[in-house]
Amino acid sequence: MLAMQLEEFVGDCGLEIDAFLAKHGRGFLLHCALDRPPDLKDEVEDEPSTRSKKTRFTARLDPEVLPMSFGSQYSVYRLRTSPGSSEHIKVGRVDENEVCIADSSISKQHAEVRQVESDQFAIMDLGSKNGTMVEQERLLVRVWQSLESNATVQLGEVKLTFMLGPQFVAFVKQTCAPR
């Protein structure tokens, strides 16, 4: 399954939560193209020709004034199995995986995610070359690690955020709401 853009979920955020979860699944991995919003600030540079200071003003990124297009910076991977597949969700860089992340630091079959209970997920590294980390701790190969909502997951060099359905819906509403 390829990634969706965050904005694609806006219309479904008005559904009852059970209907949303039935349609999209209970877990999500988010990847921000910015990795994290940059901390922009006023910068002072020396102007070599005049030996004077040149001030360049840049705006701070304020979540309260982000345009709706900021949501397009996020790729969303739904954690749900395909019809007829096992309960485990395979994650890797090739199309055969339920979650396909095209990045050279991710192995062809990098990790598996499973839904343990309705609101609990776990992840396991499949012996990937560049490893899997949860909250900056490297996972042992073929050992399940539980995932908490808003946990940082790193596959190779790709940083993602894991979210449960209700938190994901709230995030979409906050991030993509007209300002």
Side-chain angles (χ1 to χ4, degrees):
M1 176 184 312
L2 296 176
M4 296 176 69
Q5 296 302 304
L6 192 66
E7 293 166 332
E8 294 179 63
F9 294 92
V10 171
D12 289 340
C13 285
L15 297 172
E16 293 291 327
I17 191 67
D18 289 337
F20 182 92
L21 299 177
K23 182 174 182 178
H24 295 292
R26 295 184 146 325
F28 301 85
L29 286 173
L30 283 76
H31 177 253
C32 181
L34 300 175
D35 196 24
R36 68 178 179 81
D39 184 15
L40 301 175
K41 58 186 175 186
D42 297 341
E43 298 178 19
V44 178
E45 300 175 334
D46 283 318
E47 186 67 54
S49 61
T50 63
R51 297 210 183 264
S52 64
K53 300 279 184 189
K54 176 182 172 187
T55 304
R56 181 170 28 131
F57 295 97
T58 54
R60 287 193 169 274
L61 272 179
D62 181 352
E64 295 301 315
V65 295
L66 289 173
M68 185 166 178
S69 63
F70 184 73
S72 64
Q73 299 297 324
Y74 288 92
S75 297
V76 179
Y77 301 92
R78 297 183 291 182
L79 298 177
R80 62 180 188 173
T81 56
S82 304
S85 68
S86 74
E87 64 184 47
H88 296 192
I89 302 154
K90 293 191 186 299
V91 181
R93 75 168 188 267
V94 295
D95 291 339
E96 292 81 36
N97 297 292
E98 281 85 8
V99 174
C100 177
I101 304 172
D103 186 276
S104 62
S105 71
I106 295 178
S107 297
K108 290 179 183 178
Q109 291 188 336
H110 196 100
E112 281 185 1
V113 177
R114 71 176 177 180
Q115 188 172 346
V116 180
E117 292 180 19
S118 67
D119 287 333
Q120 275 193 315
F121 283 77
I123 189 168
M124 174 175 66
D125 186 87
L126 296 175
S128 64
K129 179 179 176 184
N130 294 316
T132 302
M133 295 196 301
V134 174
E135 296 297 341
Q136 300 180 0
E137 290 190 32
R138 190 174 181 116
L139 300 186
L140 297 173
V141 174
R142 300 207 178 276
V143 175
W144 289 103
Q145 169 68 43
S146 64
L147 289 171
E148 301 293 325
S149 197
N150 295 317
T152 300
V153 175
Q154 186 168 336
L155 305 172
E157 296 175 9
V158 178
K159 291 182 182 177
L160 305 145
T161 301
F162 169 75
M163 285 188 185
L164 290 170
Q167 290 82 12
F168 176 73
V169 170
F171 180 76
V172 172
K173 287 178 179 179
Q174 177 186 356
T175 306
C176 295
R179 308 254 179 227

